């Protein structure tokens, strides 16, 4: 018996609709390199361990690279690209210039994995994600399962870096709006800001806070003024929390005492009983919860606008697109 005409039209329409849908992109997974290069992740960690053993600060630098990569058009390794005749990259953007570092370590990691994998298998974007996790773990934080399978961007954007990375003078509403624009929420904002438990900040990023603002412990401000004069000393650095090379919850304890180094840090705790205040207080008293939630938020951030499947490329050299 012949099918009704209406049914044939429906089936044909359904077929055309499905055919026009874009192919589903590959998903990130923890075991993406299990067959192509099972030694990939351990190779990345070995280079990160060596780099941090040489300079403890490098852990914070690698963590920051991943953050600054993801917040600019997604986690695609674009921050690693040098300028070309076709585009000005992100390295000289205001939040990055004379600030982001660790590019040589990424080069070392890329060389090591290419050798171990006997080919160009691991993306630069994945290297940033895994190196950030390993840095946190090596410096005392809880490890978390990194999802991999990202591919690398073929371009970068100076303007996008200037417009998307939250500066240290943002107030709370600006910070929250920025994070929400990337699909993150208030908990992610507080938790990921806790990454400032590692590393240093340059004088130019906190001078106004220690001289002109009142939401700061006076003795702490005075001690920071010895490091950062009103004029000059722009490149002088101070630790973002008292234990600059240990992943712990001292950052949150400092905020409770109005000892946040950056204006944007102290904006997370104002003593007004807000949701942000409550989160800061909770993490200051619960290191285990911070450890766990940090991993959750890092995985969430690491999924932002990733390139997978046939999108992008796997760069042979993290500093330039393939020829």
């Amino acid at each position: 018996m012949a099918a009704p005409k209406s049914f044939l039209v429906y089936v044909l329409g359904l077929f055309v609709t499905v055919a026009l849908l874009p192919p589903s992109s590959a998903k990130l997974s923890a075991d993406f390199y299990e067959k192509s290069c099972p030694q990939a992740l351990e190779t990345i960690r070995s280079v990160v361990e060596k780099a941090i053993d040489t300079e403890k600060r490098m852990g914070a630098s690698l963590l920051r690279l991943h953050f600054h990569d993801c917040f600019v058009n997604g986690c695609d390794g674009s921050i690693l690209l040098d300028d070309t005749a076709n585009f000005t990259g992100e390295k000289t953007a205001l939040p990055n210039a004379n600030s982001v570092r660790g590019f040589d370590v990424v080069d070392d990691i890329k060389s090591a994995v290419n050798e171990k994998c006997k080919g160009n298998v691991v993306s630069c974007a994945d290297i940033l994600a895994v190196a950030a996790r390993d840095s946190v773990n090596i410096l005392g934080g809880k490890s978390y399962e990194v999802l991999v399978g990202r591919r690398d961007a073929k371009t970068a954007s100076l303007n996008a870096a200037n417009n998307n990375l939250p500066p240290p003078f943002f107030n709370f509403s600006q910070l929250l709006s920025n994070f929400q624009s990337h699909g993150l929420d208030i908990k992610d904002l507080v938790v990921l800001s806790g990454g400032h438990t590692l590393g240093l900040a340059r004088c130019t990023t906190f001078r106004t806070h220690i001289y002109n603002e009142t939401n700061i412990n006076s003795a702490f401000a005075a001690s920071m003024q010895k490091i950062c004069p009103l004029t000059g000393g722009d490149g002088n650095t101070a630790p973002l929390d008292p234990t600059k090379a240990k992943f712990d919850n001292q950052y949150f304890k400092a905020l409770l005492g109005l000892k946040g180094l950056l204006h944007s840090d102290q904006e997370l705790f104002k003593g007004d009983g807000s949701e942000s205040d409550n989160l800061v207080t909770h993490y200051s008293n619960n290191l285990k919860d911070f450890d766990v939630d940090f991993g959750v938020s890092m995985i969430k951030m690491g999924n932002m606008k990733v390139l997978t499947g046939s999108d992008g490329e796997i760069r042979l050299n993290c500093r330039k697109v393939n020829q």
Side-chain angles (χ1 to χ4, degrees):
M1 176 176 165
K5 183 177 179 181
S6 60
F7 177 76
L8 292 175
V9 171
Y10 168 77
V11 171
L12 179 60
L14 182 62
F15 174 80
V16 172
T17 301
V18 171
L20 291 176
L21 287 174
S24 59
S25 61
K27 302 296 184 183
L28 302 183
S29 65
D31 60 356
F32 185 83
Y33 296 112
E34 189 172 290
K35 292 183 179 179
S36 59
C37 187
Q39 306 91 357
L41 301 194
E42 65 186 51
T43 302
I44 294 173
R45 185 180 178 95
S46 67
V47 179
V48 173
E49 285 177 340
K50 187 179 299 183
I52 292 177
D53 188 53
T54 301
E55 182 195 14
K56 286 288 191 292
R57 182 185 176 191
M58 188 52 66
S61 299
L62 293 172
L63 175 60
R64 190 160 180 253
L65 269 181
H66 182 45
F67 181 94
H68 280 224
D69 180 43
C70 290
F71 265 60
V72 183
N73 295 327
C75 310
D76 59 5
S78 60
I79 193 172
L80 303 173
L81 288 170
D82 291 336
D83 297 348
T84 72
N86 298 320
F87 62 81
T88 302
E90 299 162 20
K91 293 180 179 179
T92 55
L94 290 175
N96 293 334
N98 302 311
S99 178
V100 289
R101 55 200 297 275
F103 299 108
D104 290 342
V105 175
V106 174
D107 292 340
D108 291 342
I109 295 171
K110 183 62 175 172
S111 295
V113 292
N114 281 0
E115 180 178 351
K116 181 66 69 173
C117 300
K118 295 179 172 57
N120 187 32
V121 176
V122 181
S123 70
C124 301
D126 275 347
I127 285 173
L128 291 181
V130 176
R133 185 276 309 275
D134 291 342
S135 295
V136 167
N137 184 228
I138 291 166
L139 293 174
K142 180 180 175 62
S143 186
Y144 54 90
E145 191 171 59
V146 176
L147 303 180
V148 287
R150 299 167 189 79
R151 288 170 65 85
D152 299 322
K154 297 180 181 181
T155 188
S157 173
L158 176 72
N159 288 337
N162 280 326
N163 293 329
N164 284 282
L165 290 167
F169 53 79
F170 262 14
N171 61 34
F172 179 77
S173 62
Q174 290 172 313
L175 290 169
L176 183 57
S177 177
N178 178 279
F179 271 63
Q180 289 174 334
S181 73
H182 295 291
L184 302 173
D185 58 27
I186 187 171
K187 185 175 181 180
D188 299 314
L189 166 60
V190 174
V191 170
L192 292 174
S193 294
H196 283 175
T197 185
L198 300 175
L200 307 170
R202 298 173 70 240
C203 176
T204 51
T205 64
F206 60 86
R207 180 182 280 126
T208 298
H209 182 50
I210 64 174
Y211 282 101
N212 300 339
E213 298 178 0
T214 57
N215 61 335
I216 186 171
N217 178 284
S218 58
F220 175 70
S223 68
M224 291 300 101
Q225 289 167 8
K226 294 177 182 178
I227 297 172
C228 179
L230 261 175
T231 58
D234 287 358
N236 295 354
T237 59
L240 285 160
D241 89 346
T243 54
K244 62 184 179 182
K246 183 180 180 183
F247 194 89
D248 55 24
N249 60 348
Q250 290 299 312
Y251 168 81
F252 297 109
K253 294 179 185 294
L255 296 185
L256 294 182
L258 299 184
K259 296 179 181 179
L261 183 62
L262 306 179
H263 170 85
S264 55
D265 286 333
Q266 197 57 60
E267 282 292 291
L268 301 181
F269 183 84
K270 297 180 179 179
D272 58 7
S274 65
E275 183 177 358
S276 176
D277 271 18
N278 292 337
L279 285 166
V280 169
T281 301
H282 177 73
Y283 291 130
S284 74
N285 293 318
N286 294 275
L287 174 58
K288 184 177 180 181
D289 285 357
F290 171 52
D291 264 339
V292 171
D293 291 348
F294 187 81
V296 172
S297 289
M298 284 292 288
I299 292 170
K300 185 176 177 181
M301 182 187 77
N303 286 341
M304 295 187 335
K305 297 180 182 178
V306 294
L307 300 174
T308 59
S310 59
D311 293 333
E313 64 181 12
I314 306 298
R315 273 183 236 138
L316 183 62
N317 180 335
C318 290
R319 295 175 182 260
K320 60 184 182 181
V321 298
N322 296 340
Q323 300 301 311

